[in-house]
């Protein structure tokens, strides 16, 4: 009962969180402080209870019962220039909670549970300029997408092979609203309000310890994350209706979470050192909604290092993924409109990010972790010349960087 109460409390906190930016598309890199410190690793490197969504097969490293609670303070800094100078997005601080539980039943069976804020998108230009004159090119737009997953991983282990399956319940909430001048000194409120939906999916993972094949301390892993269908009734369709002529009709309210596949390898050497590498492929082009906005598939590369002693550990990592946003042909009405909506409402243009962190064990039962992630500033300018006749700039731009700090407590018994 305590676990259920904790999950309910975490869900309420998560739903009250402010808008956030993500790192790989709408996805946070990693889950938990250990993974984030190593750039979002987790396909072949175990992080105990927090591995449930990274690769459920890695839960087979848990020796007893483990509970992890993580809080991430996420600080994005974004500036948008719609032709009248840079405007600052005030959506600049988000509290992101996670709760993970895992238990070893016997030498073959493991299970767990958890609730995780896994990603989202957002920008807030509601304080920019005068709405009656276009908000300095921002339309005083506010966008919020929050994604929360609840899962119960189930794992079977035999010799060096572990097989994990996590059924997923995803909650999503989307809010897109902005103001347009009405031509008489007032404003029209567009797509006011938010929409919520639940979707079902699953994660399936494998890992294999090659010790059984005479190769000590080498582990390989693979994970597949299914797509999750989501529909935010009245949000995207209402927000794109004023651009219907340019787009060939208002866009659908579908915003499907894309399928992912990941491959990983980790190697322990010189007793205290570990290196790990993950490759992930995210299928944005096949996801309803995202493909309508012209998003491209992502190849994500992650490299991480760990040095571990009995009472403490040091970790570092690097994550690179080319942005799923691509500049479309701004000399066409459709291309210019999608360029505008992407950069203004969902500026997910970050590509390189660096993680560092560590652990300290107070005793055999309680440990603390910290991670700091910094994402390089990325600047992009897109052509919107086809919209000049509608009073918009011929070019728009975004300047964007991110920082976050994760704090985690883990109790083992």
């Amino acid at each position: 009962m305590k676990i259920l109460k904790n999950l309910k409390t975490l869900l309420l906190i998560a739903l009250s969180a402010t808008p956030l930016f993500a790192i790989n598309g709408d996805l946070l890199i990693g889950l938990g402080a250990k993974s984030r410190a190593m750039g979002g690793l987790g396909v072949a490197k175990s992080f105990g209870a927090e591995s449930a969504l990274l690769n459920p097969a890695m839960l087979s490293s848990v020796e007893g019962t483990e509970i992890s609670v993580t809080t991430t303070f996420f600080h994005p800094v974004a500036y948008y220039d719609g032709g009248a100078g840079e405007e600052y997005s005030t959506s600049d601080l988000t509290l992101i909670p996670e709760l993970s539980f895992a238990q070893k039943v016997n030498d073959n069976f493991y299970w767990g549970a958890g609730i995780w804020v896994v990603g989202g998108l957002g920008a807030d230009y509601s304080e920019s300029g005068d709405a009656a004159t276009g908000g300095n090119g921002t339309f005083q737009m506010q966008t919020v997408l929050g994604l929360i997953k609840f899962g119960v991983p189930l794992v079977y282990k035999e010799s060096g092979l572990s097989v994990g399956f996590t059924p997923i319940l995803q909650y999503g909430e989307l809010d897109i609203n902005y103001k347009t001048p009405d031509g008489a000194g007032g404003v029209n409120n567009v797509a006011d309000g938010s929409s919520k939906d639940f979707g079902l999916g699953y994660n399936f993972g494998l890992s294999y310890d090659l010790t059984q094949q005479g190769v000590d301390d080498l582990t390989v892993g693979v994970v597949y994350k299914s797509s999750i269908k989501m529909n935010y009734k009245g949000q995207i369709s209402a927000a794109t209706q004023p651009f219907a002529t340019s787009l060939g009709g208002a866009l659908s309210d579908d915003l499907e979470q894309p399928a992912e596949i990941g491959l990983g390898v980790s190697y322990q050497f010189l007793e205290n050192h570990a290196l790990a590498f993950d490759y992930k492929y995210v299928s944005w082009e096949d996801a309803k909604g995202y493909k309508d906005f012209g998003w491209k598939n992502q190849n994500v590369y992650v490299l991480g290092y760990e040095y571990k002693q009995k009472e403490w550990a040091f970790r570092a990592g690097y994550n690179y993924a080319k942005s799923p946003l691509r500049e479309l042909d701004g000399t066409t009405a459709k291309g210019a409109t999608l360029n505008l909506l992407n950069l203004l409402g969902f500026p997910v243009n970050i590509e390189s990010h660096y993680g560092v962190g560590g652990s300290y064990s107070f005793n055999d039962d309680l440990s603390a972790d910290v991670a700091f992630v910094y994402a390089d500033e990325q600047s992009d300018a897109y052509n919107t010349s086809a919209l000049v006749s509608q009073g918009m700039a011929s070019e728009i731009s975004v300047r964007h960087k991110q920082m976050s700090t994760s704090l985690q407590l883990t109790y083992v018994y």
Side-chain angles (χ1 to χ4, degrees):
M1 292 300 295
K2 282 187 176 181
I3 292 175
L4 293 177
K5 289 181 180 179
N6 287 337
L7 291 175
K8 182 179 179 181
T9 300
L10 186 64
L11 178 60
L12 293 174
I13 293 172
L15 296 184
S16 66
T18 54
L20 61 94
F21 290 84
I23 294 185
N24 295 148
D26 69 4
L27 303 167
L28 289 168
I29 65 165
L31 290 169
K34 298 182 184 71
S35 172
R36 289 179 59 76
M38 296 181 72
L41 278 170
V43 178
K45 180 83 169 76
S46 177
F47 299 115
E50 65 188 78
S51 291
L53 284 185
L54 299 169
N55 182 355
M58 301 309 299
L59 281 186
S60 60
S61 69
V62 173
E63 294 297 333
T65 300
E66 183 174 313
I67 299 174
S68 290
V69 179
T70 306
T71 298
T72 296
F73 300 90
F74 200 87
H75 178 49
V77 177
Y79 294 89
Y80 172 80
D81 187 345
E86 288 191 333
E87 294 291 337
Y88 179 68
S89 170
T90 58
S91 174
D92 58 4
L93 182 62
T94 301
L95 177 66
I96 306 171
E98 302 169 33
L99 178 62
S100 303
F101 164 84
Q103 185 176 59
K104 178 179 180 179
V105 178
N106 55 45
D107 289 341
N108 298 110
F109 293 99
Y110 304 74
W111 79 286
I115 185 167
W116 309 271
V117 178
V118 296
L121 306 167
D124 187 348
Y125 297 102
S126 59
E127 299 178 12
S128 298
D130 180 2
T133 57
N136 289 344
T138 68
F139 303 103
Q140 293 193 342
M141 183 175 282
Q142 294 176 282
T143 58
V144 184
L145 172 65
L147 297 172
I148 303 169
K149 289 185 178 182
F150 172 76
V152 179
L154 305 169
V155 183
Y156 177 78
K157 181 179 181 180
E158 183 66 43
S159 298
L161 177 66
S162 296
V163 181
F165 178 79
T166 305
I168 299 293
L169 173 65
Q170 176 172 281
Y171 169 88
E173 182 171 355
L174 177 65
D175 183 1
I176 306 172
N177 66 83
Y178 58 94
K179 299 177 173 66
T180 59
D182 65 2
V187 298
N188 297 313
N189 293 308
V190 180
D192 201 10
S194 65
S195 181
K196 308 172 181 64
D197 195 19
F198 287 91
L200 297 174
Y202 64 89
N203 293 358
F204 176 75
L206 299 170
S207 70
Y208 189 72
D209 182 353
L210 273 75
T211 300
Q212 301 295 321
Q213 304 299 320
V215 183
D216 293 340
D217 303 318
L218 181 66
T219 302
V220 295
V222 60
V223 64
Y224 174 78
K225 300 180 181 181
S226 74
S227 61
I228 300 178
K229 294 181 179 180
M230 305 291 286
N231 182 279
Y232 301 101
K233 186 176 180 180
Q235 275 299 306
I236 300 173
S237 58
T240 56
Q241 183 58 48
F243 300 97
T245 301
S246 297
L247 294 172
L251 300 183
S252 131
D253 288 316
D254 292 321
L255 199 63
E256 180 181 16
Q257 199 59 27
E260 300 175 56
I261 188 167
L263 306 172
V265 58
S266 66
Y267 179 59
Q268 185 91 17
F269 63 100
L270 297 179
E271 188 176 351
N272 304 112
H273 302 263
L275 277 175
F277 174 78
D278 282 358
Y279 165 76
K280 291 180 281 187
Y281 182 78
V282 188
S283 301
W284 299 107
E285 293 177 27
D286 298 319
K288 293 181 179 179
Y290 289 104
K291 64 180 179 181
D292 294 338
F293 281 91
W295 285 34
K296 302 297 182 182
N297 294 336
Q298 271 187 309
N299 295 290
V300 184
Y301 306 92
V302 189
L303 180 65
Y305 167 77
E306 178 184 67
Y307 178 78
K308 194 171 185 178
Q309 292 283 353
K310 181 179 179 181
E311 294 183 346
W312 62 273
F314 168 80
R315 301 180 183 91
Y318 174 69
N319 179 302
Y320 176 79
K322 189 174 178 65
S323 170
L325 300 186
R326 303 288 191 275
E327 182 179 9
L328 304 175
D329 185 359
T331 64
T332 67
K334 183 175 182 178
T337 300
L338 291 176
N339 284 344
L340 171 69
L341 293 174
N342 278 322
L343 278 198
L344 176 58
F346 304 107
V348 292
N349 60 330
I350 291 291
E351 296 187 348
S352 289
H353 12 271
Y354 309 85
V356 65
S359 300
Y360 181 77
S361 298
F362 300 100
N363 51 50
D364 291 340
D365 301 325
L366 183 65
S367 63
D369 294 271
V370 62
F372 177 76
V373 177
Y374 174 78
D376 280 341
E377 182 174 280
Q378 180 79 22
S379 298
D380 289 283
Y382 286 0
N383 185 331
T384 52
S385 58
L387 301 178
V388 170
S389 62
Q390 300 177 41
M392 300 180 198
S394 61
E395 184 179 81
I396 60 174
S397 64
V398 159
R399 187 161 58 88
H400 180 197
K401 66 180 180 181
Q402 300 170 349
M403 292 164 283
S404 67
T405 301
S406 299
L407 305 175
Q408 178 175 311
L409 286 176
T410 299
Y411 182 66
V412 179
Y413 61 95

